[in-house]
Amino acid sequence: MAQIIGSVSTSHVPAIGGAIARNLQQDPYWKPFFDGYPAAREWIEGARPDVVVIIHNDHGLNFFLDKMPTFAVGTAPVYETADEGWGIPALAPAPGNPELAWHMVETLVEDEFDITTCQEALIDHAVSLPLALLWPEHQARGEWPVEIVPVCINTVQAPYPSAARCWRLGQSIRRAIESWDSDKRVLIIGSGGLSHQLDGERAGFLNKDFDLRFMDSLVDDPQWVTRYSNDELVELTGTQGIELLMWVAARGALDGGAVVKKHSNYHIPISNTATGLLVLEAA
Ligand code: DHB
Ligand code: FE
């Protein structure tokens, strides 16, 4: 049976793509952010993942307001990036793993998640930048060392699924991976958040206290955040802070066993976002 090795949850911000393209990792503005990643890469090197289930939110590249699934799973053989309008370079296409993806679709539907199945899909900065941050040498060569299964949670157009529901989605993802007849090692990535608000009266809003409490809770009280409604989470973390739902689902995929915190980093701000990084090993 396939094995879940752990999770890496990380923020995503389009400007990171520009900083990578211009080699700004040592620039004083960027250094505290990029310095978080070598320890995560070191852990990944030892953990040797073959496949990554990447839980992310799309930002209008793949789904737009006319058609908005609450949950979607990519079953494509390959995922291209494309111009999102942020002026960042397109990165290499990521290979998919249709076998795991279809097995996940079957398990999730069995568990009563009415998902959208995508036999073709584009990936945006929420998928490509975590890959670039975790495998920069491969990114520079224009290829990736892992196959991906993208799982998309809507945080663009209300209503969004609750934190409790995203937790259960993660649990169902776990059940799927652990019942996949394969010897592959699977890493979960959660891509989103933490606190940020890009527009409106509270543009620029950050909440460091809440972010740090949330990151802490994911280690040994991971359902703490499910006490909050989505309206409360938006109040606490900003309109785009709701992307923290990706971290909740990623942690749900590790439920059922103890976890060991391997690394974390928190830095504010990058662009308008409080950036976090959390590496958990499945014990
Ligand atoms: C920013 C953050 C995001 O999560 C995003 O998807 C786009 C932009 C930002 O802070 O600039
Ligand atoms: Fe985002």
Side-chain angles (χ1 to χ4, degrees), residues 12-14 59 86 125 196 198 243 270-273:
H12 59 237
V13 176
H59 300 77
W86 297 102
H125 65 277
H196 61 305
L198 300 181
E243 291 182 354
I270 287 295
S271 185
N272 294 296
T273 300

Side-chain angles (χ1 to χ4, degrees), residues 17-87:
I20 292 172
R22 285 178 288 136
N23 267 321
L24 294 179
Q25 290 88 341
Q26 296 304 313
D27 177 274
Y29 178 83
W30 287 100
K31 190 172 165 41
F33 169 76
F34 280 103
D35 277 357
Y37 289 86
R41 295 200 284 269
E42 212 167 287
W43 175 78
I44 285 177
E45 219 166 275
R48 295 176 289 106
D50 305 299
V51 185
V52 170
V53 171
I54 181 159
I55 303 168
H56 67 101
N57 58 288
D58 182 71
H59 300 77
L61 181 70
N62 196 53
F63 304 114
F64 202 59
L65 304 183
D66 56 338
K67 299 181 191 70
M68 185 57 68
T70 299
F71 300 119
V73 174
T75 57
V78 68
Y79 299 91
E80 307 268 351
T81 68
D83 183 2
E84 302 173 47
W86 297 102

Side-chain angles (χ1 to χ4, degrees), residues 148-170:
I148 67 166
V149 177
V151 177
C152 183
I153 300 178
N154 166 36
T155 54
V156 169
Q157 177 162 262
Y160 315 133
S162 68
R165 182 112 174 104
C166 292
W167 169 265
R168 291 197 296 276
L169 178 80

Side-chain angles (χ1 to χ4, degrees), residues 229-250:
S229 70
N230 281 341
D231 283 352
E232 288 169 328
L233 287 173
V234 166
E235 189 75 40
L236 285 162
T237 68
T239 43
Q240 280 75 35
I242 194 68
E243 291 182 354
L244 66 76
L245 292 177
M246 313 309 141
W247 293 50
V248 180

